[in-house]
Amino acid sequence: MLLEPVLHSSPVLRRCPQNPVLSKKDIPYNAELIFNAGVVKYEGRYVMVFRNDYDHQGGVQFGGCNLGIAYSDDGICWKAEPKPFVTLEQFDDPEILRVYDPRLTVMEGEVYICFAMDTRHGLRGGIARTHGLTGFEILSLSLPDNRNMVLFPEKIGGMYARLERPMPVYSRWGRDRFDTWLSLSPDLRFWGESKLVLAVEDVPYANDKIGPAAPPVKTEKGWLTLFHAVDIDHSRGKNGWEDTWKKRYSAGIMLLDADDPSKIIGLSKTPLIAPEAPYEAEEGFRQNVIFPGGMILEDTGEVKIYYGAADTVECLATADVNDLLSLCLQSPAPHTLPE
């Protein structure tokens, strides 16, 4: 697949002038990389649960990882709590190696967290209930390997729904070629009826993998849905703290059917957010990385999009909901075909 040498963010998108809105300097405990946060509005405040990798040991190795929590009255200025929200020690299970990449959904008055969990026998995707952000009760864990799960904020046809990115290797020719799927559940514990939603070959600016990003938000046209899209170019150089970093992560946007979210109504053929700002493309641990984890539709029609930049800091961008819907609806829905 031939890719444009340069990707640009959509002109409807506005980066927050205060970016990054959260970084290690804002955290009152040991912190190094603050990114890939889930963000919601809950009980009158903005809530962010963020990933914190700390104690860099060289290359891609870090001594620890936890989930922190921060609150904001305006969605821009954040105050982190004095202690992490979720730590490895809370589980008291030698099988669990790391919990990371939270995604938040408010549903039926509770805050739910989807997360990734590294274990000694594979990478698992999980769903937890927080009981008003005062606890962390795991409801389900997938088989390996699955991650990037996000919950829809309400039942659809009487069933809970989630988007996810399983990671097949043998069935996708022994390499990265990961797609976005939908699964349903009667109780948030048992999942099935899985369907392919969006494939790598449906996204013109991806040649490596795609997957869910922030949980979808409901609009009058359907479910407005972000996804991450990855392209790889082996001619790229260092681009961060590792010896080399060959990938570029961008954020795309699509619209799913309100009653059957396995159906795509429209898909923007160009990125919504591409790595362009210095804190996205020129600085940090892994440069050229955009990864949205939170999307909030305000009563005014403004959409707040929270995203990790360069796997190092947490940022904010905004757009009008009608502009985002227009981006999706200006192109027909893709029809996935065999490669």
Side-chain angles (χ1 to χ4, degrees):
M1 178 186 295
L2 295 176
L3 297 168
E4 294 289 341
V6 177
L7 296 179
H8 295 290
S9 303
S10 169
V12 309
L13 190 87
R14 298 175 294 277
R15 286 172 171 80
C16 179
Q18 289 89 342
N19 274 348
V21 295
L22 197 73
S23 64
K24 67 178 183 179
K25 67 179 176 58
D26 304 307
I27 311 305
Y29 46 86
N30 191 7
E32 190 133 24
L33 306 181
I34 304 299
F35 65 115
N36 287 7
V39 186
V40 292
K41 288 182 80 170
Y42 181 68
E43 295 185 344
R45 287 194 295 176
Y46 296 86
V47 181
M48 177 188 294
V49 176
F50 55 88
R51 171 178 171 176
N52 167 36
D53 289 6
Y54 58 91
D55 288 344
H56 185 230
Q57 299 178 350
V60 299
Q61 300 301 315
F62 288 81
C65 177
N66 55 42
L67 303 184
I69 190 166
Y71 295 92
S72 173
D73 292 326
D74 62 4
I76 298 173
C77 299
W78 293 86
K79 183 176 177 57
E81 291 292 279
K83 296 181 180 180
F85 179 55
V86 177
T87 67
L88 192 61
E89 291 72 24
Q90 291 173 234
F91 298 99
D92 191 28
D93 184 347
E95 172 71 9
I96 300 172
L97 303 176
R98 186 171 62 147
V99 176
Y100 58 103
D101 287 359
R103 307 285 179 261
L104 304 185
T105 300
V106 177
M107 183 168 49
E108 300 168 347
E110 296 275 15
V111 179
Y112 292 84
I113 301 182
C114 294
F115 57 91
M117 175 183 283
D118 286 349
T119 77
R120 297 186 187 279
H121 295 87
L123 193 165
R124 306 177 72 181
I127 298 173
R129 183 165 46 215
T130 70
H131 300 294
L133 296 166
T134 59
F136 190 84
E137 175 197 1
I138 294 178
L139 301 178
S140 68
L141 287 171
S142 73
L143 286 170
D145 282 324
N146 200 347
R147 64 179 297 185
N148 296 131
M149 294 176 176
V150 296
L151 282 174
F152 287 75
E154 63 184 57
K155 289 183 178 179
I156 302 172
M159 300 284 277
Y160 296 101
R162 75 183 184 196
L163 296 173
E164 58 197 341
R165 194 200 72 187
M167 301 164 70
V169 175
Y170 287 115
S171 60
R172 293 290 266 162
W173 305 286
R175 58 190 172 94
D176 279 11
R177 199 71 180 174
F178 308 143
D179 312 300
T180 299
W181 292 69
L182 175 87
S183 292
L184 302 177
S185 171
D187 56 6
L188 293 173
R189 297 181 184 272
F190 300 97
W191 293 86
E193 300 187 38
S194 303
K195 294 181 180 179
L196 177 66
V197 177
L198 184 69
V200 176
E201 55 267 28
D202 295 328
V203 180
Y205 48 93
N207 69 357
D208 185 66
K209 57 187 174 182
I210 61 166
V217 298
K218 194 172 189 180
T219 73
E220 61 181 11
K221 302 288 188 180
W223 293 104
L224 193 62
T225 307
L226 296 168
F227 59 90
H228 68 273
V230 185
D231 72 87
I232 188 167
D233 182 340
H234 292 285
S235 69
R236 291 177 182 142
K238 184 170 170 56
N239 297 313
W241 297 2
E242 302 168 77
D243 291 340
T244 59
W245 174 245
K246 306 297 189 183
K247 295 180 180 181
R248 173 175 55 184
Y249 279 66
S250 302
I253 192 161
M254 61 183 172
L255 187 66
L256 304 180
D257 185 85
D259 299 319
D260 182 1
S262 69
K263 295 180 179 178
I264 300 174
I265 296 174
L267 169 75
S268 176
K269 298 299 185 183
T270 56
L272 177 63
I273 316 176
E276 296 170 296
Y279 49 82
E280 301 162 354
E282 301 171 13
E283 304 164 2
F285 174 55
R286 283 177 169 164
Q287 296 162 12
N288 297 315
V289 174
I290 298 287
F291 206 113
M295 180 166 57
I296 297 172
L297 174 56
E298 305 283 13
D299 293 338
T300 61
E302 179 187 67
V303 177
K304 289 185 171 69
I305 298 170
Y306 293 89
Y307 63 96
D311 281 0
T312 305
V313 293
E314 189 67 21
C315 299
L316 168 65
T318 60
D320 184 270
V321 66
N322 292 316
D323 290 337
L324 296 179
L325 291 172
S326 294
L327 283 179
C328 298
L329 293 172
Q330 69 187 9
S331 300
H335 298 283
T336 299
L337 295 174
E339 292 182 292

